[in-house]
Amino acid sequence: MTEKVLKMGSDIAFHSMACRASLAVVQIAVAGDADINTDFVVPSNVSNVDGNFFTFTGMRVLVGGAPPTAFKVLKASMAEFPALNGQSVSYAVLQFPSGTVNPPHTHPRSAELLFLIDGTLQVGFVDTTNKLFTQTLTTGDMFVFPKGLVQFQYNPDAQNAALAISAFGSSNAGTASVPNNVFTTDIDDTILAKSFKTDVATIQSIKAGLAPKH
């Protein structure tokens, strides 16, 4: 009888733990922008809300503007467009002169759906098993980058620029640059050298190459 009671108690504890673990996984899976209990969120410094509040004009510079000489991103996220707060959407326009790259990076709070408007792009991401998924996109193609995974885009065309629009399922998807996060922070050079199986001089050379140009 005692053994039966103990086994029953053990089974209950196991199932309780399994349920808690399952709930935790579900909570992680649905994590994203917090829900709001109003139609929209108005910043404290805004007193008059009209159509202008819901309009973003920051992309007008693309119309008739000179093409950039380096890779450039124009963002419409919560920082640039406060009306997006609580709406779980944002945009970015990516401009790629010939031969330029958007270096490896992650978006920790959202997947990214890229639509190639013009040109050619080589794109890819690496999953948590270190498997690389790549594709060469041409005008009109779309590609999805899963949330939080390391990704990149590259324009291999030596003559023509490329233009893409990216949509995000967050008003603040965030961007973490792999080169900058590793080599332009205060991680000790010796630690980096050991981690990348090289020497301190090589690490310092990489850091110098990533330093802001004045």
Side-chain angles (χ1 to χ4, degrees):
M1 182 68 177
T2 302
E3 291 181 358
K4 185 175 182 180
V5 171
L6 288 174
K7 184 178 185 305
M8 184 180 299
S10 176
D11 289 344
I12 292 172
F14 173 79
H15 288 301
S16 176
M17 183 175 65
C19 287
R20 288 197 298 270
S22 299
L23 286 172
V25 170
V26 170
Q27 287 171 345
I28 292 171
V30 301
D33 288 4
D35 287 334
I36 58 175
N37 55 14
T38 57
D39 293 336
F40 47 85
V41 178
V42 180
S44 58
N45 63 340
V46 175
S47 56
N48 181 35
V49 176
D50 56 18
N52 290 318
F53 177 69
F54 301 99
T55 304
F56 181 71
T57 61
M59 300 299 182
R60 289 182 181 178
V61 296
L62 293 166
V63 182
T69 57
F71 169 71
K72 186 176 182 180
V73 181
L74 291 175
K75 295 181 179 181
S77 67
M78 189 174 71
E80 298 81 17
F81 191 9
L84 296 182
N85 188 7
Q87 303 304 322
S88 299
V89 292
S90 60
Y91 265 124
V93 175
L94 313 177
Q95 295 175 277
F96 296 85
S98 60
T100 57
V101 63
N102 186 6
H105 62 281
T106 68
H107 298 293
R109 291 182 286 276
S110 175
E112 174 181 356
L113 182 60
L114 181 144
F115 176 35
L116 185 57
I117 301 244
D118 189 32
T120 302
L121 281 182
Q122 290 180 4
V123 302
F125 67 86
V126 180
D127 71 7
T128 54
T129 69
N130 276 345
K131 182 177 179 179
L132 174 64
F133 297 83
T134 62
Q135 186 62 271
T136 298
L137 307 181
T138 58
T139 301
D141 292 346
M142 301 179 78
F143 190 87
V144 63
F145 300 94
K147 179 170 66 174
L149 299 183
V150 173
Q151 58 164 281
F152 64 88
Q153 300 102 29
Y154 168 59
N155 177 11
D157 194 320
Q159 302 295 326
N160 301 300
L163 180 68
I165 294 177
S166 286
F168 300 92
S170 168
S171 61
N172 183 21
T175 300
S177 167
V178 174
N180 286 341
N181 282 5
V182 174
F183 294 105
T184 67
T185 55
D186 292 328
I187 301 176
D188 185 85
D189 290 350
T190 301
I191 294 174
L192 291 176
K194 288 181 179 295
S195 299
F196 287 92
K197 301 187 186 309
T198 186
D199 52 63
V200 169
T202 300
I203 296 298
Q204 291 176 344
S205 177
I206 295 172
K207 286 186 171 184
L210 291 170
K213 301 297 187 293
H214 298 291

